[in-house]
Amino acid sequence: MGAMNDLFDTVDDTLTTVSLASATDLAGFRLHARRLLAAHVAPAQVSWHCRDAPTLDLFANGSLEDQTESATDANLTPPPALVTVPADFLALCQTVILHSDPQRFGLLYRLLWRLVHEPGLRHDPLDADRVEAARLAHAVRRDMHKMKAFVRFRPLEDEIFRSQPLDGPLHVAWFEPQHHIVAAITPFFVRRFSQMRWAILTPECSVHWDGSRAQFGPGAHRDEAPPADAGEQLWLTYYQHIFNPARLKLKMMQKEMPRRYWHNLPEAQFISTLSASAAERQAQMIDSQPSTPYRRIPIAPVSAHVLARGQPALTRHEPFTLATLKDAAEACRSCPVGQHATQAVCGEGPVHPRLMVVGEQPGDQEDLQGRPFVGPAGQLFDQALAQLGYSRTDLFITNAVKHFKFEPRGRRRMHKSPSQHEAAACLQWLDHEISLVKPGALLALGATAAASLLGRHVAVMSERGQWFTRFDGLRVLVTLHPAALLRMPAHDYEAAYSRWLQDLRLALNDPVTAR
Ligand code: URA
């Protein structure tokens, strides 16, 4: 053991203590574990600790802060050669180390030791240590999953918002994870909410995203998160309305939404009362008369030959108005997309606008609300317009394809781009809209809109930001679809967004079309 003294501290003849820099110091753990292994220090002889929680280990022996060394200390000798372990062992360590169990380091080192000394272990998935490590990893993954599902942001009108309201408020959430998962889960929230400024406060640490950088800070207290606002009231009303008493499965619900999360979930306040009245409400539903389903799309498809003759989908002799156009588009079955959508989504805005903006097709939100560009892509577009001093009510906003094309995935409806044939079948409605709206110019958002408006394939990235003239003399400017910006990696976003603004500015401030 003498040779070990410069590396580890020996508390007594049999116990070597190791102090890691933090509760999730994987690099430190790996380095120490390799050294211990090289020095033939058996797992039972090692006591693991974290500097930020010096008494974590159940077998702690006295104060450790000054006795031990961490992997980050400069005076450590170089690590010994790598040991060979199954490929998934490192991934297991990465997850297990996030668990709050103080014994996790001991368990992982024991597994490492045994993988090296007991070749049969890798073929024994029922070994008690392996089962325990898998259990810890599962608990960490579940905690991460729950954090993704149960974080609830509330807007806070902070200093930045007061000086630059267009950047939006800071969204703050309070969450109490069971394990040390905040840093590991941060990339998910950065990807998911890259457009807004947010902070997640937890008792152990906090993370703050300012739109370009995530910074970690100390733990916080629940009271530091803002109180509920009007948006939350809306969510609570919505939650109560979508609660279906006939589908209540209390045990399953508690499994998916364990009680320990309830006190931070605003909607949880209703679970007891809604559940208590579920049986009675269900009985009332069974007893009541059937209601007429709200079905806006006629069941019988409009025959293809009517459309092929160039007739509108509904037999009309009078010229279309924007309102009757919507009815006709709704009944259109020139392609299969309309069959599955909730409704046709036609354009909205003033006639004779300086600009008519054409997107690809309605998305999930647009399909439900019957209005174009009200979902995430629309919100980004509204934000850009506001930055340029415009509002969507100044423009006519529509889509090349009028029905939402999607692919069901579980309960979600995933956007599917329309095919060329589908976009071509929908062109009749777009052309009618253009002739009724009489815009000064057209702005094509993305390739589908550009192809529909110009009648040819358009390479958006190389043809963006330029004016083209259509067969009818109308000018068309092509740029990216806002959804393309939303999908962009965070590091490309800022430059892409400001270039997009330039395109929009060009379209909006065009002196030829200004009205
Ligand atoms: N994407 C579009 O192209 N249009 C919408 O209306 C919404 C999202």
Side-chain angles (χ1 to χ4, degrees), residues 345-346 358-367 371-378 392 397-401 415 445 448-449 481-483:
V345 179
C346 285
V358 183
E360 183 195 66
Q361 61 162 347
D364 182 71
Q365 290 297 314
E366 288 79 12
D367 169 81
R371 294 182 56 207
F373 280 103
V374 290
R392 64 186 286 145
I397 300 183
T398 192
N399 283 301
V401 172
H415 163 275
L445 300 178
T448 304
H481 193 286

Side-chain angles (χ1 to χ4, degrees), residues 171-194:
H171 288 84
V172 184
W174 167 252
F175 193 75
E176 293 169 57
Q178 270 186 303
H179 305 294
H180 308 290
I181 58 171
V182 174
I185 197 89
T186 292
F188 165 82
F189 284 99
V190 167
R191 275 195 308 277
R192 180 75 181 75
F193 300 109
S194 60

